[in-house]
Amino acid sequence: MLQLPKPPQPQKNLTSVDEAYELCRQITAKYSKTFYLGTALMPPEKRQAIWAIYVWCRRTDELVDGPQAQFTTLETLQEWEDHLEMVFSGHPLDDLDVALVDTLERFPIKIDPFRDMIAGQRMDLYRSRYETFEELKLYCYRVAGTVGLMSNAVIGVDGDGSRVPWRSHRDHYIPEEEAIALGIANQLTNILRDVGEDAQRGRIYLPLEDLERFNYSQEDLFKGVIDDRWRELMRFQIERARHYYRESERGICHLCRDSRWPVWSALMLYQGILDVIEANNYDVFKKRAFVPTAKKMLYLPVAWLRAQVL
Ligand SMILES: CC(C)=CCC/C(C)=C/CC/C(C)=C/CC/C(C)=C/[C@@H]1[C@@H](COP(=O)(O)OP(=O)(O)O)[C@]1(C)CC/C=C(\C)CC/C=C(\C)CCC=C(C)C
Ligand SMILES: Nc1ncnc2c1ncn2[C@@H]1O[C@H](COP(=O)(O)OP(=O)(O)OP(=O)(O)O)[C@@H](O)[C@H]1O
Ligand SMILES: [Mn+2]
C-alpha cells in the first residue's frame, strides 16, 4: 500500500473521497497507536484531515526508512516532490492522494512544510552522523517540526486565545514555534527510543559532541555499553527533549478549543516514552520503550483537564 512513487501521471478511476479517507484512517491506526488515539478525540473533519496528512508523512518517511529504502535515491525524492506539486495543484495521482487533495481544499495548508520534510528525508540519504545539536535540530525540524506546522493549519487557532477573561480578545496568535517545538520533542523522543535499532543500521542520531562530552564512544554505542557515562548521556538527552515539550505546551491554549485535548493527549503519550526509558534504566538497546495501552488510557483524563485549565 505504501509503495515507492511512480512518475506523475494523472490517473483515472480513482477512489471516492470517503473511501480515500477510510484508507488513511486504516493506515494511521496501523502505524501509530499514539497519533491515532489523539485523532480519535478530534472533530470528524479535522480528524480526517490529520489522517490524510499522516499518510503523506508516513509515505515520505517510508521512502528512506521502509523496506524499499535501499532503492531510494535523490531522484526518487525528486519524483516524490513532483508528485507533491501535482497534489497541491489539485491533481491526485493515486487513491491516497484523493484524501489529501480534499483536505487541501478545506484547510489553509501551505506546501513549504511538505517540501521541508522531503529535504529532511534527503538528509537521511547521505548522513548517518550529526556533529552538533544545531545540525540535529535542523533535521528534527524538517522531519517532525514540519508536522506541527501542517497540523496547526488544520487545528486552527482560538479567537479568545485563553479561557481567562483578562487574556481573551487578544490577537489571534499562531503558535508556530510551539508547534515546531512539539515536533522536535517528539523526534528527539523517537531518536532516544530507537538508539539500538538505528545503531544496527549504522546510524547515530545522538550528536557526536554529546557523546564526547560524556566520554562515550561510537564503539561503545555499537556494542550497547550501558554504564554511568551512558546513563548521564541519556539523562542529558531526555532533559533536552523535555525542554522542547515544555516549550510546546505554552502554545496549546492558543489552539482551537476542540483540539486542545487531542494535542495534550498526543503530547503526554509520546512524552511518556521518556519515562519508560528511565524506568528501563536507559536500556534502549535490548528493550523497546513503549507506553502500554492501559497506561495510555490513564493519560487521557489528565490531558482533558489540562486542556480545560491550562
Ligand atoms: C494529534 C495530532 C494532531 C497528531 C499529528 C499526527 C501526524 C500528522 C503525524 C505525522 C507523523 C509522521 C508519520 C511523520 C513522518 C516523520 C516521522 C516518522 C516523525 C516521527 C513521528 C513518530 O511516529 P512513529 O512513532 O509512528 O514513528 P515510528 O516509525 O514508529 O518510529 C515523529 C516523532 C514526529 C511526529 C511529530 C508530530 C506528531 C508533531 C505534532 C505537533 C502538533 C500536532 C502541533 C500541535 C500544536 C501546538 C501549538 C503544540
Ligand atoms: N505494516 C507495517 N509495516 C511496517 N512497519 C510497521 C507496520 N505497522 C507498524 N509498523 C512499525 O512497527 C513499529 C512498532 O510500532 P510501535 O511500537 O512504534 O507502536 P506504534 O503503533 O507506532 O505506536 P506509537 O505511536 O506509540 O509509536 C513502528 O515502528 C511502526 O512504524
Ligand atoms: Mn511508532
Side-chain angles (χ1 to χ4, degrees), residues 1-3 15 18-37 39 47-48 50-62 80 94-100:
M1 210 173 328
L2 302 175
Q3 67 285 71
T15 191
D18 284 349
E19 193 48 44
Y21 278 122
E22 172 56 17
L23 287 172
C24 292
R25 185 192 69 73
Q26 288 171 8
I27 294 170
T28 310
K30 181 171 169 182
Y31 276 78
S32 180
K33 294 184 184 65
T34 301
F35 299 126
Y36 185 66
L37 184 56
T39 61
R47 172 199 302 165
Q48 289 190 317
I50 296 292
W51 292 336
I53 293 172
Y54 182 88
V55 165
W56 185 87
C57 294
R58 177 52 70 195
R59 295 176 87 185
T60 307
D61 186 60
E62 289 287 304
W80 187 234
D94 58 37
D95 286 350
L96 296 172
D97 293 342
V98 172
L100 188 54

Side-chain angles (χ1 to χ4, degrees), residues 137 141 145 148-149 152 173-185 244 247-251:
K137 197 173 145 192
Y141 159 72
L149 296 177
N152 259 11
Y173 175 71
I174 303 176
E176 296 203 327
E177 287 303 318
E178 294 85 347
I180 293 171
L182 182 52
I184 293 176
Y244 281 95
E247 293 281 301
S248 72
E249 287 174 4
R250 297 196 212 139

Side-chain angles (χ1 to χ4, degrees), residues 31-32 35 38 42 50 53-54 57-58 61 117 143-144 147-148 151-152 155 175 178-179 182-183 186-187 190 193-194 248 251-252 255 262-263 266 270 288:
Y31 276 78
S32 180
F35 299 126
M42 291 180 133
I50 296 292
I53 293 172
Y54 182 88
C57 294
R58 177 52 70 195
D61 186 60
M117 185 180 283
V143 300
V147 180
S151 305
N152 259 11
I155 292 168
E178 294 85 347
L182 182 52
N186 285 347
Q187 188 61 31
N190 195 271
R193 183 194 67 188
D194 294 345
S248 72
I252 303 179
L255 296 175
V263 171
Y270 221 79
R288 181 176 169 97

Side-chain angles (χ1 to χ4, degrees), residues 84-146:
L84 174 73
E85 303 282 345
M86 290 290 281
V87 169
F88 265 80
S89 63
H91 298 97
L93 300 174
D94 58 37
D95 286 350
L96 296 172
D97 293 342
V98 172
L100 188 54
V101 167
D102 182 74
T103 289
L104 296 174
E105 284 167 6
R106 290 168 189 265
F107 297 96
I109 305 175
K110 295 200 176 81
I111 194 170
D112 308 63
F114 290 80
R115 288 201 188 113
D116 288 349
M117 185 180 283
I118 297 175
Q121 310 302 347
R122 263 184 213 116
M123 288 171 87
D124 262 338
L125 279 191
Y126 64 85
R127 282 193 85 143
S128 58
R129 300 286 188 283
Y130 294 84
E131 281 298 326
T132 65
F133 177 64
E134 278 309 303
E135 289 170 22
L136 180 68
K137 197 173 145 192
L138 175 65
Y139 171 74
C140 291
Y141 159 72
R142 287 178 169 168
V143 300
T146 50

